[in-house]
Amino acid sequence: MNTGKQLLDIDELWCIKEDRFSGETTKHYEGLFTQGNGYMHVRGSFEEGLEGAAQDEEYLRMPANVTLEKPRHPESKWGTFIPGVVGKHPLLKEEIINLPYFLSMNLVIAGEKLDMKLSNVKEYRRWLDLRNGCLYRTFIWETKAGLSLRLTYMRFISMSHEHLCLQQLGIEALSGQGVVDIACGIDAGVRTNGYNHFREVLTAEPETGCISAETLTDGGDRILMLSSVKASQNILWSRQQKDQNVFFWGSKLLKAGDCLEVQKAVSVVTGRDNEAGELLERGLKYLRAFGAEGREKLYENHAKVWTEKWKYSDIKITGDFEAQLALRTSIYHLIRSNCENDPRVAICAKGYAGEAYFGRYFWDTEINMLPFFIHSNPKAARNLIMFRYNTLEGARKNAGAYGYQGARYAWESSVSGEEQCPCWQYADHEIHITADIVYALCHYVNGTGDLEFIWNHGIDIMVETARYWVERVDINKNGYYELLGVMGPDEYLPMTRNNAFTNRMVKFSLDKTVEYLEAVRKQDANKYRDIEKRLALTPEDMARFKDVGEKLKIPFDANTLIIPQSDDFQDYADLDFDTIWKDRTRPFGHFISQERNYRSKALKQADVLQLIMLYPGDFTREQLSASYDYYEPITTHDSSLSASVYGITAAWLGRLEEAGKFLKKVMETDMSIEKKGAAEGIHIANCGGLWQMIVYGFAGLKSAMWCSEIRLEPHLPEKWEKLEFTLAWHGKWYKAAITQEKYEIFEMQDQLEA
Ligand code: BGC
């Protein structure tokens, strides 16, 4: 087994570890250890499952505020997700479907089933190697029958063959003797949020000697999983089935000194893959790679892709081990959850590592994650925006459903682009998402120089959303336009008057639309005519976009440096936080009714600070400082999108102690074992937030949105000796190296893929 060397090679700066098993934290590690390759993702559950943690329990999850919901499944929840494979939930609209669990491997010795909770297990250790996305587990199992075994598991979801997952189990008999029964299979006894999305599960034993589970979902997709096994010693495998579990079964007598290695391969294909051919034929083709190339070669190819990814996305922090590991964990999950080859999907709020947010897409993608991709993988950034272009039709339907022209992007989008949010407050009022998308596409274009993207795709989004905005505004008695009944990024105020963030975003969106259209009209009459024709654009449209952009009210108070969150913000009630928020380790929202929260000055997350962060040129340092001091004490950070924004702006203000406090909070979001933060999935927006904290905050990179050259204004935490990262910028690769004394930026010779 070639994991020998790898077992010794636990590089503390690259591996996240679990040193002891505890039922209390299993679910957290399942989220944290999620593996994937863009195409498919599997939570880091044990191969053998966990006693008492049923995966096929049926119940109704009700629409609720996800941040404050009490999740089911306290100990373990399997999760196998293929972005784009969704089905209808009776109460929650469309959700991603948790597919059959294909990692299943069970061991039984003299009637005793291996289980981390029940078995006598010693020297337990599990770790995820971020360099190559391989998950390892090793421990000694002392069985009741007297046979003692060292078991070593290793698995990876191939980055080079996206339909393939490989697993390996090494068994070394340390003392005693006995027969080990081994079952390796695919288990379809899985429900999503308590709901059964499988219309049919067909299990079969195809001619070729593998096992198969084919699922027909209620979303109309067919998913085929095929699996085969190999062992280092002769084992007679039989193909069996129990309930919805199909598996290979074999047994072997082992005595002290014996070693056995079992390898399992799984290929996964679906009817929605961009590939012609029958499912079975395609699934077999991928599975054959296991037979033909062998596990070693497949591992090598897989690891090579990861190495290449890290070459352009790693950030090295010298002098802060914790920050280094947390940052690499975040980058790992960003790389993994990005479906690089499929612009029909984006990155869901839990990074395909949990069911909590139903696999839906939020503004998290555009505002929190996109900068990482613009500067480490521009092609992926383009695809993420293409997802919004591809879902423009859904956005048009949303606008129509609300009685407007044009396009209105969903607060919670699924693959169709249609609104999926079951809670009216967010669905109806959190409208900034529509403008955030335009901001993001301009950010992509400014960071890459890919102006063609605007003419071929972006302008469609811009014009269609502009048509929505000019109808969504109201005109006031002074002749200014207003946006009434708006929820800004701060979700604890559901219906405000002129939210500063939203209005500024909308103004940007309208102004940019006019600016681009005027530019193309002057520079390229043919192109302009094409656009005019394609979008049925009229001079009246243009005039209206311009008028609303120019006269849209932006909340401002001449008597103070503090930027008002909304025109009516001061009308809300003040709260005595110390009396209400008894335990600050828990979200504030748990200590107050929604009704009271909605009429009080308690922010869920950065709102004005998010605005200043995205439009730094609009504000003076004094305004930033005053707004920070005013809003920070009344911001609860109940949303994981908040702390990084405060951290970045604290760093800009040179308040390094505060920035350090926020850095810790951001890192703990998924890493903290005490908080079990990753249990319901990865807070992938926070992962993007962490990248931004380091690059925009501590390195002080000026956003490509506003700056055409690379400019840094570093504020490194005291203990950091050096910070180094790679940046894609306008079609070229650069390296930045920052120490406490100086910084350097130099161009790399590497070619950037267009
Ligand atoms: C936050 C939103 C965010 C969503 C998904 C909510 O708790 O308030 O800003 O988009 O989670 O991450």
Side-chain angles (χ1 to χ4, degrees):
M1 176 160 172
N2 102 324
T3 52
K5 185 188 159 299
Q6 291 155 354
L7 281 182
L8 298 174
D9 194 16
I10 305 180
D11 186 329
E12 304 279 327
L13 293 170
W14 280 102
C15 297
I16 36 177
K17 292 184 298 177
E18 182 194 31
D19 285 323
R20 112 192 142 79
F21 166 77
S22 156
E24 294 278 299
T25 52
T26 314
K27 202 175 171 193
H28 164 70
Y29 281 108
E30 283 182 340
L32 192 63
F33 288 162
T34 298
Q35 296 171 281
N37 59 7
Y39 175 80
M40 60 179 163
H41 305 267
V42 187
R43 278 167 67 87
S45 306
F46 296 126
E47 283 77 358
E48 66 280 2
L50 198 68
E51 165 65 21
Q55 300 295 322
D56 56 356
E57 190 194 347
E58 297 197 359
Y59 53 90
L60 270 184
R61 185 170 167 197
M62 311 295 276
N65 175 343
V66 176
T67 313
L68 304 176
E69 235 179 320
K70 192 168 166 14
R72 304 275 289 226
H73 306 279
E75 286 193 329
S76 159
K77 186 74 181 94
W78 293 344
T80 305
F81 305 109
I82 296 185
V85 175
V86 297
K88 280 256 181 328
H89 184 285
L91 298 177
L92 303 170
K93 303 199 178 181
E94 209 169 89
E95 66 174 352
I96 194 158
I97 299 178
N98 195 344
L99 295 167
Y101 185 65
F102 59 70
L103 297 173
S104 178
M105 271 184 163
N106 280 294
L107 298 182
V108 178
I109 294 176
E112 182 190 353
K113 181 181 175 299
L114 173 71
D115 188 283
M116 290 299 99
K117 246 161 88 179
L118 306 178
S119 305
N120 186 8
V121 162
K122 292 192 171 137
E123 296 181 25
Y124 174 94
R125 185 175 239 201
R126 199 153 65 119
W127 69 101
L128 177 71
D129 192 330
L130 303 167
R131 283 169 297 195
N132 51 27
C134 291
L135 183 63
Y136 299 87
R137 175 167 53 135
T138 180
F139 57 90
I140 293 174
W141 178 22
E142 293 187 342
T143 68
K144 295 196 176 101
L147 176 62
S148 170
L149 303 172
R150 170 165 291 280
L151 301 177
T152 305
Y153 294 78
M154 188 263 200
R155 69 190 196 219
F156 64 93
I157 297 188
S158 173
M159 266 287 188
S160 50
H161 292 62
E162 66 177 16
H163 297 279
L164 215 52
C165 169
L166 292 171
Q167 293 171 261
Q168 183 168 295
L169 165 62
I171 308 177
E172 188 189 344
L174 301 176
S175 60
Q177 78 165 44
V179 174
V180 187
D181 293 340
I182 307 166
C184 298
I186 303 164
D187 192 341
V190 182
R191 301 291 174 264
T192 316
N193 287 311
Y195 189 67
N196 185 2
H197 285 286
F198 304 153
R199 287 286 162 264
E200 244 181 280
V201 180
L202 304 168
T203 53
E205 298 178 5
E207 290 299 302
T208 49
C210 56
I211 51 170
S212 124
E214 184 175 344
T215 316
L216 172 64
T217 71
D218 57 2
D221 289 305
R222 283 196 173 277
I223 322 294
L224 178 69
M225 296 176 176
L226 301 176
S227 176
S228 60
V229 281
K230 280 184 199 171
S232 59
Q233 293 187 34
N234 202 15
I235 294 185
L236 193 63
W237 297 105
S238 65
R239 297 184 282 184
Q240 302 196 8
Q241 181 169 356
K242 195 167 167 251
D243 307 324
Q244 294 195 19
N245 193 356
V246 53
F247 53 93
F248 286 103
W249 185 92
S251 65
K252 189 83 200 160
L253 173 70
L254 292 179
K255 50 185 183 321
D258 285 350
C259 286
L260 173 67
E261 185 182 294
V262 178
Q263 294 182 357
K264 174 182 170 194
V266 183
S267 71
V268 180
V269 289
T270 78
R272 68 182 302 284
D273 300 340
N274 268 326
E275 199 184 0
E278 287 296 309
L279 285 192
L280 184 62
E281 190 187 306
R282 287 171 41 224
L284 285 173
K285 179 178 83 189
Y286 295 116
L287 201 61
R288 271 187 215 116
F290 171 56
E293 295 180 37
R295 186 219 163 266
E296 295 311 308
K297 184 89 196 123
L298 288 171
Y299 168 75
E300 250 171 55
N301 292 340
H302 155 82
K304 221 182 266 165
V305 180
W306 266 110
T307 307
E308 189 70 4
K309 297 256 173 242
W310 279 113
K311 181 170 174 200
Y312 297 107
S313 47
D314 187 28
I315 297 184
K316 210 166 149 199
I317 302 173
T318 312
D320 189 340
F321 161 75
E322 273 176 27
Q324 176 69 85
L325 193 59
L327 179 59
R328 283 188 172 143
T329 304
S330 288
I331 294 176
Y332 160 84
H333 282 296
L334 285 163
I335 295 175
R336 166 191 69 71
S337 54
N338 168 45
C339 315
E340 181 157 304
N341 301 318
D342 192 353
R344 296 171 302 168
V345 294
I347 302 178
C348 74
K350 287 290 176 190
Y352 301 113
E355 297 173 353
Y357 269 116
F358 321 100
R360 305 214 183 112
Y361 311 116
F362 293 72
W363 71 316
D364 306 28
T365 318
E366 281 72 23
I367 302 301
N368 281 63
M369 297 175 235
L370 192 77
F372 164 76
F373 291 105
I374 291 176
H375 296 298
S376 68
N377 186 348
K379 188 179 147 216
R382 185 179 194 277
N383 271 356
L384 289 173
I385 312 278
M386 273 308 283
F387 165 75
R388 297 301 191 173
Y389 175 78
N390 291 336
T391 52
L392 191 52
E393 202 37 52
R396 287 191 181 109
K397 284 192 190 147
N398 296 332
Y402 281 91
Y404 299 115
Q405 302 286 315
R408 178 195 200 273
Y409 280 93
W411 174 243
E412 296 186 19
S413 178
S414 179
V415 279
S416 65
E418 285 173 55
E419 184 61 80
Q420 302 299 335
C421 180
C423 301
W424 65 271
Q425 315 86 303
Y426 318 106
D428 291 358
H429 300 285
E430 200 161 1
I431 53 177
H432 61 84
I433 173 74
T434 296
D436 302 341
I437 288 167
V438 172
Y439 181 97
L441 82 86
C442 293
H443 192 181
Y444 161 75
V445 170
N446 288 4
T448 57
D450 182 7
L451 205 58
E452 277 306 300
F453 187 81
I454 295 278
W455 312 132
N456 298 333
H457 304 102
I459 201 70
D460 298 40
I461 297 179
M462 293 171 113
V463 167
E464 283 294 74
T465 56
R467 284 181 170 140
Y468 159 69
W469 288 122
V470 299
E471 293 206 337
R472 177 61 176 78
V473 292
D474 289 292
I475 191 147
N476 68 17
K477 59 180 185 319
N478 302 322
Y480 281 98
Y481 293 103
E482 300 194 290
L483 281 165
L484 307 177
V486 169
M487 179 189 269
D490 163 25
E491 293 188 340
Y492 284 168
L493 285 182
M495 254 197 275
T496 63
R497 184 181 191 111
N498 293 314
N499 168 258
F501 175 93
T502 308
N503 288 26
R504 182 65 184 92
M505 274 288 183
V506 175
K507 178 176 170 46
F508 172 90
S509 183
L510 291 167
D511 290 353
K512 273 282 163 198
T513 308
V514 172
E515 187 186 312
Y516 275 123
L517 287 171
E518 281 178 350
V520 71
R521 187 165 53 187
K522 273 195 210 121
Q523 288 157 18
D524 191 334
N526 287 339
K527 202 178 257 172
Y528 184 71
R529 260 194 305 277
D530 283 352
I531 293 170
E532 243 182 351
K533 211 165 133 212
R534 188 167 83 222
L535 297 168
L537 186 70
T538 63
E540 291 73 41
D541 280 329
M542 281 280 270
R544 189 98 172 97
F545 300 164
K546 199 166 176 180
D547 184 47
V548 176
E550 277 168 7
K551 295 195 208 129
L552 184 62
K553 196 164 181 286
I554 305 291
F556 178 73
D557 180 351
N559 299 317
T560 162
L561 288 167
I562 302 164
I563 306 302
Q565 181 170 308
S566 56
D567 275 351
D568 52 0
F569 188 74
Q570 285 310 330
D571 299 343
Y572 290 93
D574 290 310
L575 285 180
D576 177 355
F577 281 86
D578 289 335
T579 315
I580 299 170
W581 201 357
K582 298 264 187 264
D583 173 2
R584 293 214 177 208
T585 63
R586 294 177 55 214
F588 171 76
H590 284 307
F591 296 86
I592 190 167
S593 68
Q594 178 169 286
E595 174 272 319
R596 189 171 178 201
N597 202 359
Y598 278 7
R599 60 182 165 83
S600 308
K601 286 195 203 95
L603 278 61
K604 184 176 180 190
Q605 62 207 91
D607 193 306
V608 165
L609 272 292
Q610 181 83 66
L611 163 71
I612 300 179
M613 201 204 122
L614 296 179
Y615 295 90
D618 285 13
F619 304 94
T620 62
R621 191 182 168 85
E622 288 68 36
Q623 284 174 313
L624 167 59
S625 174
S627 300
Y628 182 103
D629 286 335
Y630 175 70
Y631 289 107
E632 204 287 315
I634 56 171
T635 303
T636 63
H637 305 293
D638 277 4
S639 158
S640 66
L641 276 70
S642 192
S644 59
V645 177
Y646 275 90
I648 292 166
T649 44
W652 287 356
L653 289 168
R655 301 186 188 184
L656 288 183
E657 206 181 311
E658 281 165 74
K661 195 183 81 186
F662 284 113
L663 174 64
K664 188 163 176 285
K665 193 168 168 62
V666 170
M667 295 190 317
E668 282 177 353
T669 301
D670 285 319
M671 298 293 276
S672 161
I673 302 167
E674 293 73 40
K675 296 195 171 135
K676 300 177 226 168
E680 305 305 322
I682 293 295
H683 296 83
I684 198 77
N686 179 74
C687 294
L690 180 51
W691 183 92
Q692 294 192 34
M693 260 204 92
I694 309 300
V695 175
Y696 291 148
F698 295 123
L701 175 76
K702 303 286 162 217
S703 164
M705 183 77 183
W706 307 113
C707 201
S708 53
E709 313 101 56
I710 302 180
R711 275 184 27 216
L712 304 179
E713 199 182 308
H715 290 281
L716 292 198
E718 218 176 283
K719 67 173 179 179
W720 291 16
E721 288 156 34
K722 201 169 181 187
L723 175 64
E724 294 160 276
F725 54 89
T726 308
L727 271 187
W729 194 278
H730 286 264
K732 291 190 175 142
W733 287 111
Y734 295 86
K735 263 208 179 305
I738 307 166
T739 60
Q740 294 288 351
E741 294 76 39
K742 59 173 186 159
Y743 69 83
E744 286 173 322
I745 301 163
F746 51 91
E747 198 182 321
M748 293 164 74
Q749 294 310 309
D750 304 41
Q751 288 295 313
L752 211 162
E753 198 186 332

